Structure formats: structure tokens, C-alpha cells
Amino acid sequence: MGLLTHRSLFCLFLMTSIVFILSWFFVLRATGPHHSVDFTILPNSKLFALAYNENSNESSVMRASKDKEEEEATWNKHSKNCNPKKQVLKVFMYDLPSEFHFELLGWKPEGKSVWPDVRAKVPEYPGGLNLQHSIEYWLTLDLLNSEFAEKLRGRSAVRVRNSSEADVLFVPFFSSICYNRYSKLKPNQKKSTNYLLQEKLVKFLIAQEEWKKFGGRDHIIVAHHPNSLLDARMKLWPAIYILSDFGRYPPTIANVEKDVIAPYRHVIRSFVDDSSDFDSRPTLIYFQGALYRKDGGIIRQELFYMLKDEKDVHFSFGSVRKDGIKQATKGMHSSKFCLNIAGDTPSSNRLFDAIASHCVPVIISDEIELPYEDVLDYSEFCIFIRTSDALKKNFLINLIRSIGKEEWTRKWKRLKEVENFYEFRYPSKDNDAVQMIWQAVSRKVPAMRRKLHRARRFSRTIVSGQGKVMSVDIPRNFW
């Protein structure tokens, strides 16, 4: 009798549990497709999930998709001020005297204006190797032009006149041409023009209320030539630098977290309407440039002796003098692979000449930093070789010879897709080098703002007796 009672109770409990679970399941189903159901908490969850999905009709899916689109539209509408990817970068540009920028190119100001009328005539930048470090010139032109552009489509930055509205503040100092042309002493000079302008720039900036507000951390300064801004860089280091690499900067002054790497402007002619292929480019490896360099560039002469006797390799000394650019253009356009070897600094213009030539770059530079690498995968169109491996006997030549037609063609096609990212133009066009650099600056802004906001956590804004707004730190034992 007792056994029967226990069995009856067990059966009653089991049936009650099953009814309870099934009723719970049907209640959840009745709530409709707008509520997510976590089937993992039910027994045999995969089976129940399958049954649920099979019974969801097409209209439910379409309705859910429409709801999702409406939700995203609403989110975008309300979050546009918080999403830097959806906004054009607002840039305040200082009206520095023309001696800091276009006068360095030989332009003479008319009247009180410090800027040329870029709608009428644009001052030309000196040619040759000077062009490779002309980044500040193109960025300044783009900001000037943004005030006259009718549409913002394709534009990544626009000039604003009120610094309080700006995301960043741009300093239009043509530091690279200033170094290239004005770093030597002139007759009766005790200090070079390059040194004097840097001295004046530091004095000007640190006196500005905009600089004092955040210690210059929201300022943009271009120093693309490795030796440019040599005297001022240690004093202006809180700013975001736009550089070619970090080779001559201590990591406390410039680093990949804070600063932006910009491409060189290539000096050889772009390969327009390139219909070449693997078989029509007779030269396997091409390099032409200075062979004897300092620091990491010592590898160049060692590779020269390794490769000089290979019949399908062009490895020679070269410069831009006479018809050097013309020769390099012809050589790169007819080569499968172009070497980019570290020189006095980790980067060189040769990489961007190779990209413009659709000649697959072979990068041998362990410390190189590359433009836009946070959004661009260079392994899709470049070959990377460690310096220690490149110096091994036959390693480099054997590796390059092992790359077949299919892999080379894949990288060649990708080069043609990305070459626009490295083209400097005026007026600038959608996703060219100018716009890509502004986009890279935009991606630095959220982290920069976060640091600035964190630094202000324990400060209070007060009004002084003179009516000025001030921010002061609150002592730890204030309360």
C-alpha cells in the first residue's frame, strides 16, 4: 500500500511538472516574435528553438526587420552627436601670419589677408623631393576650400571660425618646407629662419587661451619631414602630431596611440590605365635609391651585394637628379616587386611610389608604422620580411621567387583598389589621401576627449573676481 502511494505521488508530481513546463512554453510563444525567448532554460532547448523558428512566418520576419530599421534610424538620429563616424570633423584653423605658411612658398600677401584666394590661384609647392613631405600644404588648402565648397559629400573635415565649436585645432605651419629651404644660416643671421619661426610659433601657441584650455592636447601639428620642428617638438608634444614615422621621436613625445601617420606624396608618375600582368613585367625585384644609409638603413648595402648578380633584379644607386624620376617610373611600372628598405628612418617615399606603380611592395623595415593601418590590412597588397630573415643567404630571393602568378595578381588587383588612399589632390576628392588623413585624426578624437574628461573629474569650475571662468583641482581632503 505504501509503495502504491509513493508511485501515485511520483506520477502526480511528474504530470504536474510536464503540464507546468508546457503551459509556460505556450505562454512564451503567445507573446509573439517581438520578444526574444531564451530557449536555453527549457529542456531539449534545441528542439523547441527549431519548432519556434519553423512556425515564424514571413510577415513576422519582415515586421521584425522593419522594426529594426526604424530602431536604427531613431538611434542614428539621437546619437549623431556622439558618433564621430557619422560627423564631419570640425576644425578650427589659426590665422597665423603668412610667414608661417604660404610665404615660405614665395607667395606674397595682398592687403591684410594672410591667406591666398584659393578659388582664383593656388600657390605652387616646390617640386622634386620637396613634394614628398608636403602634407601640411594639402591639409591647409582643403580647410580653406571647405569654406567655399557647396556640398559636404565626400568631405571629412570642415573649417569652423569659432574654436569652441571645433573638434580639433589645426596649426598651419609648413614645417617641412621650412626645414628644407630655411634651415641654413643666411648672411648676417645668427639663427636660421627655420629656428626663428619655431621659436615664434611656440611663443604664440602657449599664449593662446585655446592652448591653455587643454594644454594643447586637441591641437593638430604637422611635422612630416623627420627633421622638421626639431627645436619645437619637445615643447609642443601634447598636441597630436601628423608624422611620416616615429624614427626620430622618443615614445613619450610621439607614439601610435596619440599621433597620426600620414603617407608620403609619391614623386613618380601614377600608372594610369594599367593593363599589365605578371608576365608582362620582366623585372622581378626593383630598387633604386641611396645605398649607404645610417642606422637601420645599413641593410641596403648588404642586400645590394646579395642581389646584384641576379639577372632579373634591378638594384642600383639612384636619385631624383636629371632624369632619375623618369627612370624610376619606368622601372617600377615594369617590375613585379619593389623593395621598400629602411633608410635613415623606418619609412621612405619608395613604398608610396610602389603603390602608385602597382608594383607589389616588399617591406623590410621592422620599426615601420603605416598610414591608416587601424582600418587597412597591408598584408593584402604587401610582402613583409623581417630584417634578420632578409640578411640570411638566399632567403629574400627564394621567397620572392616562390610567389606565383595567382598570389601576385591578387595583390596587384588590391593595389589598384587602394591607390586612391595615397593620392594628394586639390580640390580633394572622396577617400583620397587628404580625406583619409582627416578620418585618421577623427579616430583619435574620442580617446583624446576621454583623457581630457577623465582629467577633469576632480576639478570644479569657478568664476574669478575678474569674471573669468577657471577650472581648479579640488584637494584630496577637501570634504
Side-chain angles (χ1 to χ4, degrees), residues 94 200-212:
Y94 286 102
K200 291 171 70 173
L201 181 70
V202 171
K203 186 177 181 180
F204 169 82
L205 283 177
I206 63 176
Q208 302 306 304
E209 291 301 321
E210 289 87 355
W211 181 276
K212 294 176 182 178

Side-chain angles (χ1 to χ4, degrees), residues 156-405:
S156 302
V158 63
R159 186 184 185 188
V160 294
R161 291 288 185 166
N162 190 336
S163 62
S164 63
E165 298 176 0
D167 298 308
V168 291
L169 294 85
F170 183 75
V171 181
F173 176 43
F174 290 4
S175 60
S176 294
I177 197 67
C178 190
Y179 170 77
N180 277 329
R181 288 199 156 186
Y182 300 97
S183 56
K184 293 182 179 179
L185 289 173
K186 293 181 178 180
N188 301 320
Q189 271 192 330
K190 293 184 178 180
K191 295 180 180 180
S192 69
T193 300
N194 179 46
Y195 181 88
L196 291 171
L197 283 179
Q198 290 181 65
E199 207 173 45
K200 291 171 70 173
L201 181 70
V202 171
K203 186 177 181 180
F204 169 82
L205 283 177
I206 63 176
Q208 302 306 304
E209 291 301 321
E210 289 87 355
W211 181 276
K212 294 176 182 178
K213 185 176 180 181
F214 296 124
R217 289 170 177 81
D218 54 353
H219 282 54
I220 305 293
I221 298 176
V222 188
H224 201 261
H225 191 290
N227 292 328
S228 61
L229 216 69
L230 196 61
D231 301 295
R233 63 178 62 167
M234 298 298 184
K235 300 172 184 176
L236 302 177
W237 66 266
I240 299 171
Y241 286 142
I242 297 181
L243 310 170
S244 57
D245 59 45
F246 301 124
R248 294 182 180 170
Y249 284 78
T252 52
I253 301 300
N255 54 74
V256 72
E257 180 184 356
K258 175 177 76 75
D259 304 302
V260 171
I261 296 297
Y264 292 62
R265 184 190 182 279
H266 62 82
V267 295
I268 71 162
R269 190 177 67 252
S270 296
F271 201 160
V272 181
D273 299 326
D274 178 11
S275 58
S276 65
D277 59 20
F278 186 81
D279 298 317
S280 67
R281 290 180 174 240
T283 304
L284 178 68
I285 300 175
Y286 185 90
F287 177 88
Q288 185 163 305
L291 300 182
Y292 304 101
R293 311 302 290 179
K294 300 176 291 184
D295 303 323
I298 294 176
I299 186 180
R300 290 188 181 184
Q301 60 200 71
E302 298 194 36
L303 289 177
F304 168 73
Y305 291 114
M306 286 183 179
L307 300 173
K308 65 184 180 67
D309 296 326
E310 298 289 340
K311 61 180 181 179
D312 53 356
V313 173
H314 176 92
F315 201 123
S316 68
F317 177 84
S319 69
V320 298
R321 295 178 181 177
K322 296 182 179 180
D323 60 347
I325 293 178
K326 184 178 179 181
Q327 288 181 0
T329 298
K330 183 179 179 180
M332 286 187 163
H333 286 192
S334 59
S335 300
K336 296 179 178 69
F337 299 93
C338 290
L339 293 180
N340 180 73
I341 313 169
D344 292 343
T345 59
S347 67
S348 77
N349 187 53
R350 202 162 283 99
L351 168 61
F352 307 100
D353 285 342
I355 292 172
S357 305
H358 311 150
C359 179
V360 176
V362 179
I363 299 175
I364 307 173
S365 180
D366 297 345
E367 302 300 323
I368 195 170
E369 294 290 349
L370 298 166
Y372 341 126
E373 198 169 11
D374 55 335
V375 296
L376 200 60
D377 183 358
Y378 278 78
S379 67
E380 293 177 346
F381 54 91
C382 296
I383 303 293
F384 290 87
I385 300 177
R386 294 184 180 87
T387 301
S388 57
D389 290 332
L391 292 174
K392 295 175 183 176
K393 187 177 181 180
N394 295 327
F395 181 93
L396 174 59
I397 191 68
N398 289 341
L399 176 63
I400 299 303
R401 292 196 190 282
S402 71
I403 299 174
K405 183 175 181 178

